[in-house]
Amino acid sequence: MGSVATSGQEIVLPRHVAVIMDGNGRWARERGLDRVEGHREGRYAARRFVRAARERGIEVVSLYAFSTENWSRPESEVEALMGLIETALLAELEELCERGARLRVSGRREELPAPLRSALATAEQATAENDGLVLNLCVNYGGQVELVDAAKKIASKVVAGGLDVEDVTPEVFAQHLYVPDIPPVDLLIRPGGDLRVSNFLLWQIAYAEFYSMAEYWPDFQPEHLDRAIEDYSRRQRRFGGLALDE
Ligand code: IPE
Ligand code: IPE
Ligand code: MG
């Protein structure tokens, strides 16, 4: 874990920062615009966030782009979101490659439209050898479904005789998540003011520090990340144990 002292306060750098990119619709409505305009603008917030995270030395970022529950929105909004995720990913690919970032994907991709699936595969392949920032893009992602999918993979191994039920530990379980080789979430940021998890990374956030901010996602600026990190640095993480002075 990185640690830098600035202006008297010790800054503790989280290794993995996850963001629930929320508030696009409200941002648009407040401006008399269609909700989709908010999603369009949210794309630039995502770019600012990823750049800022990389510059600060964060190892992994997880971005919640589309949840398994978001299919219940009007078809036109769902279609626009799918198109935007695809376009944004392909447009950002050159910079991701230049900066040595690696794209990982979490979610049930088989249910996504073919052009988006192919953009995800292109970006994964193009960045597979990079060892810089890991960008875990969560599309058609649901925490519950991820756990179900992991349980299914484990059950199949047990049935095939490749794994003993007694050997299913939390460590073994975690190896069956969508992207098993990334550290747990240290800091979970939710713009838009809501205080809920909305089915995001349920396993990985077990001991994450939660940071809610009132600003909507399209208004996200690098300073917000700095504020979140400063706040995180003041938290006392106990992981079920006792504080150092107790
Ligand atoms: C988050 O913004 C983006 C997605 C869920 C895809 P919303 O569209 O949920 O924005 P609000 O919460 O309605 O403002
Ligand atoms: C969570 O936001 C999903 C994403 C940001 C992709 P939602 O707007 O879908 O969550 P709820 O409906 O407020 O819980
Ligand atoms: Mg929302």
Side-chain angles (χ1 to χ4, degrees), residues 17-211:
V17 179
V19 185
I20 301 175
M21 305 189 287
D22 198 26
N24 297 351
R26 282 165 283 169
W27 182 91
R29 280 283 146 81
E30 283 184 8
R31 286 161 178 76
L33 302 170
D34 189 84
R35 294 177 54 81
V36 171
E37 296 305 320
H39 299 315
R40 230 185 282 284
E41 198 57 36
R43 168 184 162 183
Y44 300 106
R47 177 196 282 168
R48 290 193 292 275
F49 172 78
V50 173
R51 280 183 184 161
R54 194 189 52 77
E55 284 163 8
R56 280 150 187 77
I58 288 160
E59 290 172 47
V60 184
V61 295
S62 288
L63 296 181
Y64 206 3
F66 191 90
S67 77
T68 47
E69 287 69 36
N70 288 146
W71 295 106
S72 64
R73 296 187 179 202
E75 208 181 306
S76 56
E77 184 174 343
V78 170
E79 246 174 56
L81 277 164
M82 295 296 155
L84 273 170
I85 298 168
E86 179 201 333
T87 318
L89 186 58
L90 293 176
E92 299 302 324
L93 192 50
E94 194 180 324
E95 181 170 333
L96 290 176
C97 288
E98 264 169 28
R99 304 291 186 193
R102 181 171 180 197
L103 183 90
R104 309 300 302 268
V105 181
S106 290
R108 277 200 179 157
R109 51 212 285 171
E110 61 276 15
E111 293 161 5
L112 295 170
L116 176 54
R117 285 204 313 266
S118 120
L120 292 169
T122 302
E124 270 177 330
Q125 283 157 22
T127 63
E129 304 299 324
N130 294 347
D131 59 3
L133 176 88
V134 173
L135 166 53
N136 176 33
L137 189 63
C138 303
V139 200
N140 191 21
Y141 176 86
Q144 291 180 337
V145 157
E146 177 174 35
L147 298 180
V148 168
D149 286 347
K152 282 181 174 171
K153 286 182 219 161
I154 291 167
S156 306
K157 284 189 187 171
V158 170
V159 169
L163 180 65
D164 198 293
V165 174
E166 295 312 316
D167 292 333
V168 184
T169 58
E171 290 73 26
V172 168
F173 193 93
Q175 285 162 16
H176 295 82
L177 298 170
Y178 293 134
V179 184
D181 49 344
I182 51 176
V185 176
D186 296 303
L187 174 61
L188 173 62
I189 300 176
R190 181 162 191 153
D194 283 318
L195 294 172
R196 60 175 168 266
V197 163
S198 301
N199 202 14
F200 194 35
L201 299 175
L202 296 181
W203 177 282
Q204 298 86 340
I205 62 168
Y207 271 102
E209 296 292 329
F210 193 60
Y211 183 85

Side-chain angles (χ1 to χ4, degrees), residues 220-234:
F220 190 93
Q221 296 299 336
E223 299 78 67
H224 294 123
L225 176 60
D226 290 328
R227 260 177 248 157
I229 294 175
E230 277 166 32
D231 196 272
Y232 169 84
S233 301
R234 286 192 292 269

